[in-house]
Amino acid sequence: MRNKNLEAKSLYDLYKLLDLRLDLIDPTEGFTIHNMKDIGLTVPYQSPSYRPDFFSFLFVKNGSGKYTVNEYTFNIQYQSIYFTNPSNYRTFSWQSVEEIYLITFDETFLKKYIGKDIFSYFPFLLTETIQPKAVTDEFYGIAEKIYLQILEEYKSRSSFKYKVIGHFLSVLLYKIKEYFWIDYNPLQEGNRSSQIVKSFKHLLESHYRDLSAGKADRVFRVQDYADAQNLHPNYLSNVIKSKTGKPIASWIVEKTISEAKSLLQNTSISIKEITYQLGFSEAAHFSNYFKKHTGITPVQYRKELDSCK
């Protein structure tokens, strides 16, 4: 296993592959938080290469290690914050782990508990590669207070805990946005390929917002995304695949399913309405598409949601 590139839909899946503790993680809602000291790492620790399908923040109060994404290797030191999103393969190694809190969340969680326009509020979530940033004592204290409140709620049995976590996470994201992106300077921002990837991600997000709002009536094809940047579709496809590890078709499928799940969580919207909002011509087509990529039908997905309430 150590010599293979791993694909992980969730942190639970990743820890299962790495034989780390799973009992600290609730796999039901696409959100996790824990102190990495508690997961069974034996330091020094070196991970295999893996590609996550989730966003993550590391809050390093006491510990040291390294992250590698593409050709970039970052030293992670005392009182630093590091963010990654679903994109490229990466590895991590730890020399010491005392107090390092990891928060992960997926797009469905963000849109369910914070808002559908999440990437308009927090565009930095789409940025490819951001180096860890050492922060002041004052700011770390602010962030720590919030993430410890999130942890306390995560451990609770409250039936509203994920709604509360969504509010706390929103506050944390606003604080990070204000602190980090005053002097916004992500790596690779000037690189042509990275600009293409970033523009594609923004257009993908914008287009699905338009679909949900009834401002668009069909799902874009690869040609549409290529035309938007005045690129040949083959060139765009090659850039997206080489930079993110996934073809455009996979990005479109994953975005469609993510939007479908968000809409299905709102029981006031019928499946027929969702069918047309996502650009499908027939409910049967949408149902077959959803089942092909999730293993269950939209009706079954809603029933599972109801049973968890």
Side-chain angles (χ1 to χ4, degrees), residues 219-259:
V219 173
F220 276 178
R221 303 160 302 163
V222 174
Q223 184 70 57
D224 296 306
Y225 289 106
D227 288 346
Q229 297 196 57
N230 296 314
L231 300 171
H232 190 283
N234 289 345
Y235 178 73
L236 176 64
S237 297
N238 289 336
V239 169
I240 299 300
K241 178 67 183 294
S242 65
K243 293 290 289 181
T244 71
K246 295 188 294 188
I248 288 182
S250 294
W251 280 98
I252 294 172
V253 166
E254 289 175 9
K255 175 59 78 173
T256 302
I257 294 300
S258 175
E259 289 295 321

Side-chain angles (χ1 to χ4, degrees), residues 89-153:
Y89 283 101
R90 72 281 312 266
T91 61
F92 63 85
S93 61
W94 294 108
Q95 297 303 313
S96 66
V97 177
E98 290 300 324
E99 196 168 349
I100 301 175
Y101 283 88
L102 173 65
I103 295 179
T104 73
F105 44 87
D106 60 23
E107 184 177 327
T108 299
F109 181 88
L110 289 174
K111 293 192 171 181
K112 181 177 180 180
Y113 292 107
I114 297 182
K116 290 186 178 295
D117 293 333
I118 186 71
F119 298 118
S120 294
Y121 306 145
F122 308 113
F124 63 86
L125 292 175
L126 298 176
T127 302
E128 279 190 88
T129 307
I130 305 170
Q131 60 187 340
K133 184 166 184 174
V135 299
T136 63
D137 292 344
E138 179 184 10
F139 183 78
Y140 197 91
I142 292 170
E144 182 180 36
K145 183 177 179 180
I146 299 170
Y147 71 65
L148 289 179
Q149 286 178 302
I150 293 174
L151 178 64
E152 182 178 353
E153 195 65 34

Side-chain angles (χ1 to χ4, degrees), residues 35-229:
N35 186 349
M36 292 189 66
K37 183 179 180 180
D38 299 330
I39 61 172
L41 290 176
T42 300
V43 292
Y45 181 87
Q46 174 66 54
S47 81
S49 175
Y50 71 99
R51 182 168 61 213
D53 198 21
F54 50 85
F55 302 85
S56 63
F57 275 97
L58 269 175
F59 297 88
V60 183
K61 186 173 185 179
N62 188 0
S64 62
K66 292 183 179 182
Y67 260 79
T68 297
V69 180
N70 292 333
E71 69 270 31
Y72 292 98
T73 297
F74 307 111
N75 290 313
I76 301 178
Q77 303 291 346
Y78 163 80
Q79 207 161 275
S80 61
I81 298 175
Y82 186 38
F83 164 73
T84 65
N85 63 16
S87 56
N88 304 316
Y89 283 101
R90 72 281 312 266
T91 61
F92 63 85
S93 61
W94 294 108
Q95 297 303 313
S96 66
V97 177
E98 290 300 324
E99 196 168 349
I100 301 175
Y101 283 88
L102 173 65
I103 295 179
T104 73
F105 44 87
D106 60 23
E107 184 177 327
T108 299
F109 181 88
L110 289 174
K111 293 192 171 181
K112 181 177 180 180
Y113 292 107
I114 297 182
K116 290 186 178 295
D117 293 333
I118 186 71
F119 298 118
S120 294
Y121 306 145
F122 308 113
F124 63 86
L125 292 175
L126 298 176
T127 302
E128 279 190 88
T129 307
I130 305 170
Q131 60 187 340
K133 184 166 184 174
V135 299
T136 63
D137 292 344
E138 179 184 10
F139 183 78
Y140 197 91
I142 292 170
E144 182 180 36
K145 183 177 179 180
I146 299 170
Y147 71 65
L148 289 179
Q149 286 178 302
I150 293 174
L151 178 64
E152 182 178 353
E153 195 65 34
Y154 186 68
K155 290 179 177 179
S156 78
R157 298 185 179 221
S158 169
S159 56
F160 301 109
K161 73 176 185 178
Y162 286 109
K163 291 183 178 180
V164 175
I165 286 171
H167 286 293
F168 280 137
L169 181 60
S170 179
V171 171
L172 184 60
L173 290 174
Y174 274 116
K175 291 294 184 182
I176 287 172
K177 177 182 179 179
E178 182 179 41
Y179 186 88
F180 273 59
W181 275 267
I182 291 173
D183 55 350
Y184 179 68
N185 186 29
L187 297 174
Q188 297 189 337
E189 192 75 341
N191 180 280
R192 175 57 176 154
S193 294
S194 295
Q195 287 282 11
I196 289 171
V197 171
K198 186 181 178 187
S199 295
F200 166 71
K201 288 181 179 180
H202 277 288
L203 181 56
L204 184 72
E205 176 61 28
S206 174
H207 176 58
Y208 276 82
R209 277 205 313 273
D210 288 345
L211 283 171
S212 294
K215 297 178 182 178
D217 58 7
R218 68 178 181 85
V219 173
F220 276 178
R221 303 160 302 163
V222 174
Q223 184 70 57
D224 296 306
Y225 289 106
D227 288 346
Q229 297 196 57

